[in-house]
Amino acid sequence: MEIIRTPAEMTAWANRALAARETIALVPTMGSFHEGHLRLMRKARERAGRTVVSLFVNPIQFGASEDLGRYPRDFPRDCQLAEAEGVDVLFAPEAQTMYPPEASTRVIVSGLTDVLCGRSRPGHFAGVTTVVAKLFHLIKPHFAVFGEKDFQQLAVIRRMVADLNWDVEIIGHPIVREVDGLAMSSRNIYLSVPERQAALCLFKAIGQARKRVRAGLVEATLLLREIEELLQQAAVTVEYASLVDQTTLQPQAVLGKGTVLALAVKVGATRLIDNDNLFEEG
Ligand code: AMP
């Protein structure tokens, strides 16, 4: 596996691969790999001849009061894991090379970024779309794989790619969970034992919602009331619990195909998100 540290070298590699008629799949990450990341890498390898994983804790997607400084990092371990997955290139640039002092461009998707996580994290999605746009330009992937765990991010990126006529296929990967149902996240290591227990309320809420939908419930307000009650019983602070359309992210009054239950809570100091496409098999 090649480790590439600068945007210029990354582009030179991509140009060589394209000249050799290779197909390229990209998996953008912030590192601290868990099984969720590894599954995305596997999916990328299935789709393309060459797999690039970017590992970049993107400073411009963190708010001033967020965890940029303490975000978990373990580069040697990440290298080992990516190599074991058969990744061809780990692109791990320094922040100064991605954002030199004179850089002053942001890629902004409007509308979809004003709701859900966009409300409590102003500027977050502009940071995400800017870095993903840069990665697409540097690496020129045919495919890019993103997790459905960050389902708003996936919707925003799909919108950006469609709006900018980008010739890259966006592939979503289902949420990878721990055996007890907690969605895997690099941030789970922040959780104490009781917090880890409290965090299970997210998966319980999803189970409850699925059960009610299977029983024929279609009224969103009713389901939301139940979900909120369930979350309030756990030692968490609810940021949002919403029933939205998977593409428009608009609240749904009547539940149906494409309705996603989207959840964000704070467990102690740790912010966790989860979601479920309620009418999909699962
Ligand atoms: P991150 O390193 O947290 O920015 O995540 C990198 C990519 O991995 C994103 O596309 C995430 O949606 C995806 N991802 C993170 N956790 C999971 C998970 N538990 N299941 C599926 N995809 C995930």
Side-chain angles (χ1 to χ4, degrees), residues 25-276:
L26 167 67
V27 183
T29 81
M30 298 205 298
S32 197
F33 296 150
H34 51 66
E35 185 61 25
H37 295 111
L38 304 185
R39 300 267 194 94
L40 267 55
M41 294 176 202
R42 269 168 237 166
K43 190 151 197 164
R45 282 202 68 204
E46 282 167 18
R47 291 303 290 268
R50 292 271 177 251
T51 298
V52 179
V53 173
S54 61
L55 192 172
F56 182 56
V57 183
N58 177 32
I60 67 166
Q61 72 185 66
F62 286 78
S65 62
E66 295 182 357
D67 58 346
L68 173 64
R70 66 180 192 123
Y71 194 82
R73 292 166 169 88
D74 192 342
F75 190 66
R77 179 176 171 274
D78 285 350
C79 287
Q80 275 177 10
L81 289 170
E83 180 143 41
E85 290 300 330
V87 167
D88 296 284
V89 173
L90 190 66
F91 176 48
E94 297 292 338
Q96 308 89 284
T97 65
M98 289 293 273
Y99 306 113
E102 64 278 16
S104 46
T105 301
R106 287 284 188 276
V107 178
I108 293 171
V109 173
S110 56
L112 293 180
T113 57
D114 297 336
V115 297
L116 304 174
C117 294
R119 280 229 171 102
S120 56
R121 305 187 73 189
H124 167 70
F125 285 111
V128 170
T129 40
T130 300
V131 80
V132 171
K134 284 172 70 75
L135 292 170
F136 284 180
H137 281 302
L138 292 170
I139 300 162
K140 305 177 187 76
H142 301 84
F143 309 98
V145 187
F146 293 86
E148 288 169 4
K149 157 118 190 310
D150 300 273
F151 104 102
Q152 184 175 13
Q153 168 174 286
L154 187 51
V156 168
I157 285 165
R158 285 193 199 283
R159 185 75 265 142
M160 173 181 81
V161 163
D163 289 351
L164 299 180
N165 307 94
W166 227 310
D167 193 12
V168 50
E169 185 182 333
I170 303 301
I171 300 169
H173 188 290
I175 300 175
V176 180
R177 298 182 178 279
E178 303 284 357
V179 275
D180 60 5
L182 182 67
M184 290 192 181
S185 163
S186 306
R187 290 186 167 102
N188 288 350
I189 61 158
Y190 296 152
L191 300 172
S192 67
V193 173
E195 286 172 347
R196 172 76 180 63
Q197 196 57 31
L200 288 177
C201 67
L202 292 167
F203 189 60
K204 282 189 198 135
I206 288 170
Q208 168 79 359
R210 280 207 162 234
K211 198 171 93 192
R212 299 292 275 133
V213 161
R214 266 201 310 273
L217 180 70
V218 291
E219 204 187 317
T221 44
L222 214 66
L223 181 56
L224 277 182
R225 207 173 306 139
E226 285 183 23
I227 296 298
E228 275 159 13
E229 267 169 30
L230 186 152
L231 293 174
Q232 272 152 16
Q233 281 162 19
V236 304
T237 311
V238 181
E239 188 184 291
Y240 64 74
S242 303
L243 289 158
V244 299
D245 175 76
Q246 62 180 349
T247 309
T248 65
L249 309 184
Q250 287 305 300
Q252 302 287 281
V254 179
L255 310 177
K257 201 168 175 298
T259 302
V260 172
L261 172 64
L263 304 168
V265 299
K266 267 204 146 177
V267 192
T270 306
R271 186 176 179 279
L272 297 177
I273 56 171
D274 205 337
N275 73 85
D276 189 60

